[in-house]
Structure formats: C-alpha cells, structure tokens
Amino acid sequence: MFSQLRRSIMGHLFVFSILFTIIMSAVSFWVVGRSGHAIFQASAEEAVTHRVTKSLFAMAAVENSAVQIAKNSTVLQALSTDQYSLQVNPILNTLKNTSFGILGVTLYTPQHIYTTDSVSDHLTFYELRENQAIRQFMDSPQETFLSIRTSQIPGVYNHVRYDPAYGMITYCVKVPHGLLLFDLNPSYIYSRFFDYGKYPNFTEIQTFIMTPEGTYLKSGFNKEKDASYLIQAVEDETIISDDRRFLIISTPFGPCGSQVVSLVPTAPFYRQMAVFGAILLICSAVLIRTALAVGRRLSSSIILPLTRLRKKMAGWNA
C-alpha cells in the first residue's frame, strides 16, 4: 500500500517538474529569442547605416573637390571664353589623384571636353544626355547629382583597378557654362566602405548597390546566387528572408533613388540561440534530477513514519 503511495508522490512530482520545466524553458527561449533577434537586427542596421554614411562622406569629399575646380581661375577663364586651355587637364589630374576612388574627371564646355590622363575615351555631351536621369538633372535647377548606372559607361579607363562590369558611380556638378563629372570606382566603394571585418557577428554581410532603375552594380559577391533574396528587398525597410537565412536591409544611397541592399546572414544569431537552448536543456535536466531527489526525500519523510506506525499497530494487535 505504501509503495503505491510512494509511486503516486514520485509520479505527481515528476509530472509537475517536467511540465514546469518545459513551460519555463519555452517561455525563456521565446522571450530571449524575441529580444535577441531585435538586438541582432538593431545592431545589423546600425552597422550598415554607419557604413553607408561613411561612403556618403566620401561623396562629400568629392563635392569639395568640385568646388575647388569651380573656383579655379584657370578653369573659370576656360569656361567663360570657351577657348581650349592646355592648363585645365593638369588641374583635373591633380584633383583626380586626391582619391584612389576617383577613376577620372571630365569637364564639358560648350565646345570642348577636358579629361584626366586616365580617360582614354569618353561619352560626348549628347551621348551623355541619352541617359534619362542625367538628362533630367541637366534640365533641372539642381546643382549636383549622383548618377549610379550599369549602362552607358563613359569610355575606357587606363586603370588596372577598374572593371567595367562593376558599372559606374558618377558625381555630376554644374559649373558656369559647363558640366563636371567625377567617375568613382564602385569596386573601391565596396572594398573601402562596406568591409565588415571589425564587426564579429557581421563579417559575412553581402552588399549590393542598386540603381534607381532596379539593376545592381556588380560586387565581390555572386548576385546570381542571391538573386532570390535581392528580389525580396523592400525599399528603405529591413525584412527577414522567406527562408529566414538573411536579414535584408535596404538603405537609401544618396538622393538619387539608389539603395544599398545588404544581406545579413542570421546564422550567428541562430548559433547563439542554439547555445542558449543547450544551456536551457542542461539546466532543465539538472532541475528535473533535483526534483526527483527532493521527491524521494519527501516521499521517504512521509512513508517511513507511516511504515513505523503500521509496525507498532501490528505489534499492539498481536
């Protein structure tokens, strides 16, 4: 009779400890997972935003170079008279050499085109206007414009670090009686500003620069392999991919309607959750084992006095 009572006490305590452990572990895992994912996403967005902002600062440095050209007396004289000046090209070369990211500088005047030595060919002014975005800029009151495109790449550069497949980022500036273009190397932008080596959880972020037309500049990553994820990108938003392998972060890149689309692998987050889950399992096993030990002591503290009492009563009846 008492053995059945012992089993009943142990069984009820075991079931209670199992249910309590499962419920508490599930709630803990859900709460930590939810808050951890929010922290992971916020950290990823902060890292991406920091890198995009840093790249746009580089564009601001290019703008300062444009201001220097626009204020140069030799350039201003060439623009006002529209007479070809041999002194303009050296000035452009000097400014081009201020940054490794500048492939070349081109100055259009009504009658002449000045270029840096790195430019072996270039688009004519009318070919340049065939690009809709640039044409709209020329016809607008805007003074500056950032062109990001994968077609109508201006000429061929004598520059070993430039691959035309990367497309072109061009900073366009209106100057008196002319147009100034700074061609920037997308490969340099990717490697210089979108390297996440200093971020332990985000070293594998894949970055793609999207043009206003929806095409992508080539990057060091395989765009075809990740095309299904790029299709899911939502402008100016952060979403999780359908298979939950990536956070897809879309960030505005300049005022031209372009986006930086970043694929952030969620594997580091899931690895952290796996470690937390393992810790929960170990803690749960210890808790259940402890509950069983306590159950044995509790049942013994109840059964032993009853057993002794039964023996005494049996002796009295004898």
Side-chain angles (χ1 to χ4, degrees):
M1 179 178 67
F2 293 138
S3 60
Q4 183 178 358
L5 177 60
R6 180 190 295 273
R7 287 194 297 271
S8 177
I9 293 173
M10 291 290 294
H12 281 82
L13 189 60
F14 180 74
V15 171
F16 173 79
S17 63
I18 288 290
L19 289 177
F20 176 80
T21 302
I22 291 175
I23 293 173
M24 289 302 297
S25 296
V27 171
S28 299
F29 192 81
W30 181 82
V31 171
V32 172
R34 188 177 179 86
S35 60
H37 186 273
I39 294 172
F40 180 82
Q41 178 172 322
S43 298
E45 290 175 339
E46 181 181 2
V48 170
T49 301
H50 176 261
R51 288 288 154 180
V52 172
T53 302
K54 194 171 182 179
S55 68
L56 293 177
F57 279 150
M59 305 297 175
V62 173
E63 182 178 2
N64 291 333
S65 297
V67 171
Q68 294 180 43
I69 292 180
K71 291 182 177 180
N72 186 277
S73 57
T74 302
V75 174
L76 288 173
Q77 183 177 1
L79 288 169
S80 61
T81 62
D82 204 19
Q83 294 180 356
Y84 190 81
S85 173
L86 296 175
Q87 297 176 329
V88 172
N89 284 344
I91 295 172
L92 300 184
N93 281 317
T94 299
L95 287 174
K96 180 262 175 191
N97 293 330
T98 59
S99 171
F100 291 114
I102 300 177
L103 286 169
V105 182
T106 306
L107 175 62
Y108 290 88
T109 72
Q111 298 295 329
H112 304 290
I113 299 177
Y114 299 92
T115 64
T116 55
D117 293 340
S118 58
V119 180
S120 60
D121 194 9
H122 52 75
L123 297 176
T124 67
F125 186 80
Y126 297 102
E127 288 173 333
L128 193 65
R129 282 186 61 87
E130 291 178 3
N131 182 283
Q132 182 179 358
I134 295 179
R135 182 175 67 252
Q136 289 176 347
F137 160 67
M138 291 178 181
D139 296 336
S140 74
Q142 286 180 259
E143 295 297 322
T144 62
F145 176 68
L146 186 65
S147 169
I148 300 178
R149 58 194 186 280
T150 53
S151 61
Q152 282 192 293
I153 306 304
V156 179
Y157 282 91
N158 295 321
H159 201 298
V160 295
R161 289 174 297 164
Y162 176 64
D163 178 359
Y166 276 87
M168 184 62 65
I169 300 176
T170 302
Y171 190 75
C172 310
V173 183
K174 290 178 181 176
V175 294
H177 313 292
L179 181 67
L180 185 63
L181 303 183
F182 284 82
D183 290 330
L184 308 177
N185 192 348
S187 178
Y188 175 84
I189 300 297
Y190 278 125
S191 61
R192 178 69 176 81
F193 301 107
F194 295 103
D195 178 9
Y196 292 89
K198 295 182 180 179
Y199 299 86
N201 286 330
F202 306 121
T203 56
E204 298 179 358
I205 288 182
Q206 303 177 42
T207 303
F208 302 89
I209 298 177
M210 185 180 71
T211 71
E213 293 75 30
T215 60
Y216 285 89
L217 303 185
K218 177 185 174 183
S219 73
F221 301 99
N222 190 337
K223 181 174 70 67
E224 286 69 27
K225 175 185 174 183
D226 298 311
S228 60
Y229 297 111
L230 296 177
I231 292 174
Q232 299 175 43
V234 179
E235 185 175 345
D236 299 348
E237 290 189 18
T238 299
I239 65 170
I240 184 104
S241 63
D242 293 339
D243 60 5
R244 307 191 72 80
R245 287 187 57 202
F246 292 97
L247 282 177
I248 306 175
I249 304 176
S250 298
T251 310
F253 188 60
C256 59
S258 296
Q259 297 274 313
V260 171
V261 179
S262 305
L263 302 182
V264 183
T266 53
F269 167 72
Y270 291 128
R271 284 196 294 267
Q272 292 174 353
M273 290 304 299
V275 171
F276 178 69
I279 293 174
L280 275 181
L281 286 175
I282 293 172
C283 292
S284 299
V286 171
L287 180 62
I288 293 173
R289 188 178 182 85
T290 302
L292 290 175
V294 171
R296 290 191 188 96
R297 292 177 64 88
L298 178 62
S299 63
S300 296
S301 67
I302 296 174
I303 299 301
L304 288 177
L306 290 176
T307 301
R308 286 194 294 267
L309 179 60
R310 183 183 180 186
K311 287 181 179 179
K312 289 183 179 179
M313 291 177 66
W316 294 338
N317 291 334

